[in-house]
Amino acid sequence: DVGQHQMRTAQAYPLRGPRRWLTSGGLGTMGFGLPAAIGAALARPEATVLCFTGDGSLQMNIQELATAAEEGVNVKILLADNNALGLVRQQQELFYEGRLVASAYRRKVDFARIAEGFGVPAVDLDASEQPLRDLADALHAPGPCLIRVTVPAGANVYPMVPPGADNLQMIGGEPEPGDALHEDADDCDTHAEATGDRHVHA
């Protein structure tokens, strides 16, 4: 999908091998992730397909939860829910003097209930007493599942290139040793080894 979650995944998830990362790149096609993940799962039924998405992107094609349920595809939808259009908000904050327009929601959407309404099991890690165990259980269960976790709306992602600029003018740089990004990547390495690295990522 497209947004801050796409940037975080590209930076932190340990992809091992070719043809494992399905993305629309910089084309900005919000809503690409879930249909692409369903297609990948149909092409590779033996694999667990991870769809990293945000609340804005998921709403663009949320009806495809019905397809996931009907086809029983092994797609795990990892939803980073910041109750905002995170990358739009970040650009408004950085380049438009903090004038936030149509980038935050006034009401919170209960994505777990929506998924369950379509027949897709859901796990809300915020409400879990043992989130790591529940995450592992959800990833190993057959069939589709929505896994929701809250991300602070103000948690910006770097580096980024300002509108109209070139890559030499990017904001931010390499993370310092010991940053959470490196620690998360180490955790992902362990997870990939434990699950046999049979994941496809959309």
Side-chain angles (χ1 to χ4, degrees), residues 43-69:
R44 294 273 310 277
E46 79 285 358
T48 298
V49 179
L50 307 180
C51 174
F52 294 92
T53 190
D55 46 323
S57 289
L58 183 59
Q59 289 183 77
M60 296 291 180
N61 269 321
I62 200 165
Q63 76 281 354
E64 295 302 336
L65 288 170
T67 305

Side-chain angles (χ1 to χ4, degrees), residues 6-161:
Q6 176 192 33
M7 297 165 67
R8 289 186 180 105
T9 305
Q11 292 174 6
Y13 201 91
L15 299 166
R16 297 182 177 181
R19 302 172 66 88
R20 300 286 181 103
W21 172 251
L22 304 177
T23 180
S24 66
L27 297 177
T29 50
M30 292 173 65
F32 171 86
L34 182 55
I38 291 171
L42 292 172
R44 294 273 310 277
E46 79 285 358
T48 298
V49 179
L50 307 180
C51 174
F52 294 92
T53 190
D55 46 323
S57 289
L58 183 59
Q59 289 183 77
M60 296 291 180
N61 269 321
I62 200 165
Q63 76 281 354
E64 295 302 336
L65 288 170
T67 305
E70 289 178 5
E71 297 297 329
V73 290
N74 197 21
V75 172
K76 313 308 178 190
I77 304 159
L78 291 104
L79 171 62
D81 185 356
N82 59 8
N83 204 50
L85 299 176
L87 193 54
V88 175
R89 184 193 181 283
Q90 178 171 333
Q91 294 201 28
Q92 290 175 344
E93 177 185 318
L94 294 175
F95 310 121
Y96 298 94
E97 300 176 358
R99 295 189 295 273
L100 305 182
V101 178
S103 59
Y105 307 133
R106 295 176 184 165
R107 300 179 64 95
K108 292 188 176 182
V109 177
D110 191 336
F111 288 98
R113 289 181 65 186
I114 291 174
E116 290 166 350
F118 277 105
V120 174
V123 176
D124 190 336
L125 295 182
D126 288 3
S128 172
E129 294 183 0
Q130 296 187 342
L132 292 179
R133 184 200 64 188
D134 290 345
L135 174 61
D137 290 347
L139 290 174
H140 287 93
C145 184
L146 182 134
I147 304 164
R148 176 191 173 273
V149 63
T150 296
V151 176
N156 292 340
V157 184
Y158 300 99
M160 72 172 297
V161 179

Side-chain angles (χ1 to χ4, degrees), residues 144-202:
C145 184
L146 182 134
I147 304 164
R148 176 191 173 273
V149 63
T150 296
V151 176
N156 292 340
V157 184
Y158 300 99
M160 72 172 297
V161 179
D166 59 46
N167 288 344
L168 295 175
Q169 297 170 290
M170 75 171 63
I171 300 171
E174 293 299 318
E176 296 295 326
D179 276 358
L181 178 64
H182 288 296
E183 295 168 6
D184 290 346
D186 291 341
D187 291 342
C188 290
D189 282 336
T190 302
H191 171 73
E193 291 167 3
T195 58
D197 192 32
R198 294 184 300 110
H199 292 125
V200 178
H201 319 279

